[in-house]
Amino acid sequence: MNSPSLPSRILRPLPTREGEPLAATGRAGRNLPAAITMGVVLIAAAGVPLFFAPAVFVGVICLLILGALWELGGAFARLGTHLTMAPLYAGAIGMAVCAWTLGAEALLFALYATVFACVAWRILDPEANGRVSDVVSSVFAAVYVPFLASFVLLMLRDFNPRLILVYVALVVASDTGGWAAGVMLGKHHMAPRLSPKKSWEGFIGSALATIAVGVGCFIAFDAHWAFGLLAGIGACVIGTIGDLTESLIKRETGLKDMSRLLPGHGGLLDRLDALLMVAPFMHLVYSLAF
């Protein structure tokens, strides 16, 4: 049997197969040279255009969204559920462009149009089995990836681009603080069935780190420290929920990593899960603070 063509695999992802991870080089459980190299590449690919070529930055965000949707399509395919990829891809670009050029109201309409297109696409599909699960999963995908990610572009449109770095720094502080406290002090598991490594001690470390970064950054931007406190607490709580949401998807689909697109890191969603969830909250905080 001939293997599916590349366009076919893009429009109808095959069930994701677990690959052999790169050999770990330390206690972090990752191949650190590969992880560091890929991290530098990602930071450069997104950070440089953010300040010097905003249109290119929008393009980078769109590529990340499309890649994350493809990963989600492969994960759901393991359950026999097929996302309506064509309208999802088109809707994702539409949401991103609307957010950057027209604002929040246009983003909401683009989400509505995407949901409508996903439903119509599946209704018109001659394959009758699984229509409800396919539609519900496609609507979830539309909200989870492109809609949430588009708030990053709303931040780019509405505020100082440097505030996007603050948003990223808060999520990084949450991950780093949680990891450090969890490794040193973690004893009480938070959600052992979803993420065995997460502990309540790690959560406290995450909260302390995000509060420190939030208060410091907001004071540096001449905003009231209380907004930094709010941002720190929110980034910790919502970011943790974002991590657990992706862990739930991986647990349900039997995956350790969403893909092998990022050597040393796993898949795009493995790195974007908390960022996606925190983006709308940070846009709200910025709207109140600035």
PDB file of all heavy atoms in Angstrom, residues 25 44 51 54 66 104 126 211:
ATOM      1  N   THR A  25      20.849  13.832  28.927  1.00  0.00           N
ATOM      2  CA  THR A  25      22.225  14.143  29.327  1.00  0.00           C
ATOM      3  C   THR A  25      22.315  14.678  30.745  1.00  0.00           C
ATOM      4  O   THR A  25      23.371  15.126  31.177  1.00  0.00           O
ATOM      5  CB  THR A  25      22.837  15.182  28.372  1.00  0.00           C
ATOM      6  OG1 THR A  25      22.023  16.368  28.378  1.00  0.00           O
ATOM      7  CG2 THR A  25      22.911  14.641  26.952  1.00  0.00           C
ATOM      8  N   ALA A  44      15.300  33.286  18.822  1.00  0.00           N
ATOM      9  CA  ALA A  44      15.735  34.166  17.745  1.00  0.00           C
ATOM     10  C   ALA A  44      14.662  34.314  16.672  1.00  0.00           C
ATOM     11  O   ALA A  44      14.413  35.414  16.153  1.00  0.00           O
ATOM     12  CB  ALA A  44      17.027  33.621  17.122  1.00  0.00           C
ATOM     13  N   PHE A  51      10.615  42.929  17.252  1.00  0.00           N
ATOM     14  CA  PHE A  51      10.992  44.325  17.341  1.00  0.00           C
ATOM     15  C   PHE A  51      11.344  44.951  15.997  1.00  0.00           C
ATOM     16  O   PHE A  51      11.218  46.166  15.826  1.00  0.00           O
ATOM     17  CB  PHE A  51      12.183  44.471  18.294  1.00  0.00           C
ATOM     18  CG  PHE A  51      11.861  44.108  19.711  1.00  0.00           C
ATOM     19  CD1 PHE A  51      12.260  42.886  20.235  1.00  0.00           C
ATOM     20  CD2 PHE A  51      11.127  44.962  20.508  1.00  0.00           C
ATOM     21  CE1 PHE A  51      11.959  42.539  21.542  1.00  0.00           C
ATOM     22  CE2 PHE A  51      10.820  44.626  21.821  1.00  0.00           C
ATOM     23  CZ  PHE A  51      11.237  43.410  22.336  1.00  0.00           C
ATOM     24  N   PRO A  54       7.447  43.296  12.587  1.00  0.00           N
ATOM     25  CA  PRO A  54       6.233  42.741  13.192  1.00  0.00           C
ATOM     26  C   PRO A  54       5.448  41.813  12.270  1.00  0.00           C
ATOM     27  O   PRO A  54       4.878  40.821  12.734  1.00  0.00           O
ATOM     28  CB  PRO A  54       5.418  44.002  13.528  1.00  0.00           C
ATOM     29  CG  PRO A  54       6.440  45.071  13.694  1.00  0.00           C
ATOM     30  CD  PRO A  54       7.514  44.763  12.702  1.00  0.00           C
ATOM     31  N   LEU A  66      -0.270  26.639  13.114  1.00  0.00           N
ATOM     32  CA  LEU A  66      -0.561  25.570  12.160  1.00  0.00           C
ATOM     33  C   LEU A  66       0.126  24.271  12.579  1.00  0.00           C
ATOM     34  O   LEU A  66      -0.461  23.182  12.488  1.00  0.00           O
ATOM     35  CB  LEU A  66      -0.118  25.984  10.762  1.00  0.00           C
ATOM     36  CG  LEU A  66      -0.856  27.172  10.143  1.00  0.00           C
ATOM     37  CD1 LEU A  66      -0.278  27.522   8.771  1.00  0.00           C
ATOM     38  CD2 LEU A  66      -2.357  26.890  10.023  1.00  0.00           C
ATOM     39  N   ALA A 104     -10.073  42.775  18.764  1.00  0.00           N
ATOM     40  CA  ALA A 104     -10.733  41.680  19.471  1.00  0.00           C
ATOM     41  C   ALA A 104     -12.083  41.305  18.865  1.00  0.00           C
ATOM     42  O   ALA A 104     -12.428  40.124  18.789  1.00  0.00           O
ATOM     43  CB  ALA A 104     -10.911  42.062  20.942  1.00  0.00           C
ATOM     44  N   PRO A 126     -19.262  12.839   3.319  1.00  0.00           N
ATOM     45  CA  PRO A 126     -20.089  11.640   3.131  1.00  0.00           C
ATOM     46  C   PRO A 126     -19.854  10.569   4.193  1.00  0.00           C
ATOM     47  O   PRO A 126     -20.702   9.688   4.365  1.00  0.00           O
ATOM     48  CB  PRO A 126     -19.670  11.139   1.739  1.00  0.00           C
ATOM     49  CG  PRO A 126     -18.328  11.728   1.489  1.00  0.00           C
ATOM     50  CD  PRO A 126     -18.338  13.045   2.184  1.00  0.00           C
ATOM     51  N   ILE A 211       5.426  35.820  40.938  1.00  0.00           N
ATOM     52  CA  ILE A 211       5.113  37.057  41.661  1.00  0.00           C
ATOM     53  C   ILE A 211       6.326  37.987  41.647  1.00  0.00           C
ATOM     54  O   ILE A 211       6.194  39.201  41.406  1.00  0.00           O
ATOM     55  CB  ILE A 211       4.670  36.747  43.103  1.00  0.00           C
ATOM     56  CG1 ILE A 211       3.272  36.102  43.089  1.00  0.00           C
ATOM     57  CG2 ILE A 211       4.660  38.013  43.949  1.00  0.00           C
ATOM     58  CD1 ILE A 211       2.833  35.586  44.449  1.00  0.00           C
TER      59      ILE A 211
END
